[in-house]
Amino acid sequence: MRLDLPENAEFIIKRLETAGFEAYVVGGCVRDMLMGREVNDFDITTSSLPEETKSVFSDLRVLETGIKHGTVTVMVDGQPFEVTTFRVESGYSDSRHPDSVTFVREVYRDLARRDFTVNAIAYSPSVGIVDPHGGREDIEKRVIRAVGDPYKRFSEDALRILRALRFSSTLGFQIEAETAKAINTLAHTVKSVSGERIYTELNKLLLGKNCQYVIDEYIDAIRAIIPANGDFKSVSRCPGDAAMRLYCLCGEGIEATLSALRADNRTKHICRLLSVSTPIPPSLPELKLYISSLGRDDAEIVVSYRKAVYGEDEEYNSSRVLSSNEPLFISDLAIKGNDLLALGLAPKQLGAVLASLLRAVINEEINNSREELLEKAKEYK
Ligand code: ATP
Ligand code: MG
């Protein structure tokens, strides 16, 4: 079987082979090529030691990105390729970091330390597919299956539990029964993984096409990882935004989750905004005031979320209101603060008066014209 490799990846493999080593593309890129999915990174695995790789590419720029773990980055035409020595890992005493990494010369040993069968396939144009764990068959069956004993593999590295859920979500694969059982039994051990890494995987999981299936099927496991007490049956109805989906999943547990995962500021803002949001009002002037008090950006977030998840906002289309040029914000008023100062109002009154004028316009008591606004403003002198 021939796979279509980019020229630069093929160049690296050929160069290593000519120097007497084995080299393959491996992992996600092979899986994605076999599935006809777009590939972002072509990772290369090789029998050459990092120092040997460096000398094979001594005419190119080689970065020592993770030399202790066997990884160097070879730059070809400005494009980076991670080239990693075949290795095995041993002794995960903290279910997170291998105690030691040992370089080996056989590709099958490197493939055996990988997480799932679909990620444990190597390929080179000269050798073809190397697939000792039945990864191709599992791709065909659309199954995530641990390489080897799932209990052992998840006990070595608890991050793999989240990776299994994430791949099930993004690839739309089911998780094989034994692997699934081990996930349910060992989910609580994910607590040993750093918040940042949980967060990265969770974000990918939440944006996967199969996220609702994974959440429904593995809610107990997910709850062992984060407090997921929200409207979690509706996650897939949310707009395609990881922060909104995280809020939907967690509900009242959101504050604890945000700090445990060290969520970024945008995510924190969106989740907090949604947690204090109130139902979209059904009448038009109230809807305008609602949008007005939130501000345009926050209103767009709240409205798109509540519409999708709670089915609110059927009567009036708030997106239409938001995109209309009807006055909704103080900046839309036909007068400015200076006009009020000219009328003789005190500077400290300005904010409150402008807000009250805006309310009068939204309630259709007056028109948004200079004359009517100034007339009304006189009442506050
Ligand atoms: P993505 O499309 O998200 O990049 P990927 O499969 O390439 O998916 P990476 O995190 O880039 O995932 O890892 C590259 C490869 O390294 C995987 O395909 C897998 O073979 C191996 N791998 C990554 N993380 C682990 C892990 N925690 N345990 C075992 N093998 C792993
Ligand atoms: Mg990858």
Side-chain angles (χ1 to χ4, degrees):
M1 178 168 197
R2 267 205 73 81
L3 295 178
D4 210 10
L5 294 188
E7 218 174 290
N8 291 340
E10 209 159 321
F11 159 80
I12 293 177
I13 292 174
K14 284 239 174 73
R15 176 79 84 88
L16 285 162
E17 286 179 342
T18 309
F21 301 106
E22 281 181 52
Y24 305 86
V25 286
V26 70
C29 65
V30 181
R31 175 198 71 219
D32 289 344
M33 276 190 289
L34 289 169
M35 291 181 68
R37 283 162 59 97
E38 195 196 331
V39 178
N40 304 314
D41 303 310
F42 284 85
D43 292 331
I44 292 164
T45 185
T46 180
S47 60
S48 64
L49 296 170
E51 289 303 323
E52 294 170 329
T53 309
K54 273 169 64 186
S55 63
V56 169
F57 296 103
S58 56
D59 56 329
L60 297 178
R61 208 149 87 87
V62 180
L63 314 173
E64 299 192 350
T65 32
I67 204 146
K68 271 211 316 241
H69 299 104
T71 304
V72 298
T73 299
V74 180
M75 302 297 298
V76 191
D77 299 335
Q79 203 190 346
F81 288 89
E82 287 199 350
V83 181
T84 304
T85 304
F86 298 158
R87 62 175 204 219
V88 292
E89 294 157 352
S90 57
Y92 291 84
S93 41
D94 63 354
S95 23
R96 249 189 339 194
H97 305 107
D99 296 336
S100 66
V101 166
T102 309
F103 299 137
V104 296
R105 294 286 187 181
E106 301 85 11
V107 67
Y108 76 90
R109 294 182 68 192
D110 181 273
L111 294 175
R113 61 104 183 156
R114 293 177 182 270
D115 48 6
F116 306 110
T117 59
V118 298
N119 288 345
I121 311 173
Y123 171 81
S124 79
S126 61
V127 176
I129 296 268
V130 184
D131 178 21
H133 304 286
R136 246 186 317 176
E137 193 183 328
D138 284 342
I139 289 176
E140 225 132 83
K141 289 202 249 168
R142 305 179 69 79
V143 164
I144 300 295
R145 181 196 312 269
V147 170
D149 175 3
Y151 291 89
K152 181 163 171 282
R153 304 311 309 286
F154 292 144
S155 309
E156 286 170 356
D157 178 2
L159 181 68
R160 291 175 187 152
I161 293 174
L162 272 173
R163 285 174 58 87
L165 299 174
R166 183 260 279 200
F167 285 121
S168 173
S169 173
T170 56
L171 302 175
F173 284 17
Q174 303 231 343
I175 301 176
E176 173 275 328
E178 279 303 306
T179 304
K181 245 165 71 187
I183 287 175
N184 286 320
T185 308
L186 295 172
H188 65 279
T189 64
V190 172
K191 295 231 160 71
S192 67
V193 175
S194 77
E196 287 93 337
R197 298 188 83 176
I198 297 179
Y199 188 44
T200 306
E201 291 300 325
L202 195 61
N203 274 337
K204 292 182 183 173
L205 188 165
L206 289 171
L207 294 177
K209 59 180 177 191
N210 225 21
C211 76
Q212 195 64 58
Y213 162 82
V214 172
I215 289 167
D216 292 345
E217 205 69 14
Y218 295 95
I219 189 66
D220 292 338
I222 290 171
R223 284 197 171 128
I225 299 160
I226 52 163
N229 300 313
D231 196 354
F232 61 85
K233 293 265 172 213
S234 302
V235 171
S236 63
R237 291 224 306 267
C238 279
D241 181 291
M244 292 192 200
R245 292 183 168 199
L246 183 67
Y247 172 72
C248 190
L249 177 65
C250 294
E252 284 172 18
I254 195 65
E255 268 308 320
T257 309
L258 291 174
S259 64
L261 302 187
R262 294 192 187 79
D264 58 87
N265 289 336
R266 176 185 175 275
T267 301
K268 283 185 188 155
H269 175 73
I270 291 179
C271 291
R272 288 174 182 157
L273 185 62
L274 295 175
S275 73
V276 297
S277 70
T278 53
I280 303 174
S283 85
L284 192 53
E286 278 180 79
L287 172 62
K288 288 186 185 172
L289 287 171
Y290 181 86
I291 292 173
S292 174
S293 64
L294 282 166
R296 180 176 295 279
D297 294 345
D298 287 354
E300 272 168 6
I301 293 164
V302 169
V303 158
S304 67
Y305 180 84
R306 298 195 68 102
K307 259 165 111 156
V309 176
Y310 307 134
E312 293 173 358
D313 191 35
E314 281 178 357
E315 205 162 338
Y316 294 101
N317 189 332
S318 41
S319 337
R320 208 170 48 219
V321 173
L322 271 161
S323 60
S324 72
N325 27 12
E326 292 176 59
L328 291 169
F329 306 103
I330 285 174
S331 57
D332 297 332
L333 288 174
I335 58 168
K336 301 279 164 258
N338 281 344
D339 299 310
L340 297 179
L341 292 175
L343 266 188
L345 283 152
K348 64 171 194 244
Q349 280 182 286
L350 295 190
V353 173
L354 286 167
S356 155
L357 292 175
L358 176 64
R359 224 171 304 124
V361 170
I362 288 176
N363 287 329
E364 297 179 359
E365 292 158 21
I366 54 170
N367 286 311
N368 184 26
S369 71
R370 223 183 127 71
E371 300 71 47
E372 291 191 38
L373 288 164
L374 289 173
E375 197 52 41
K376 177 90 182 158
K378 284 184 191 152
E379 293 174 16
Y380 297 95
K381 285 215 311 187

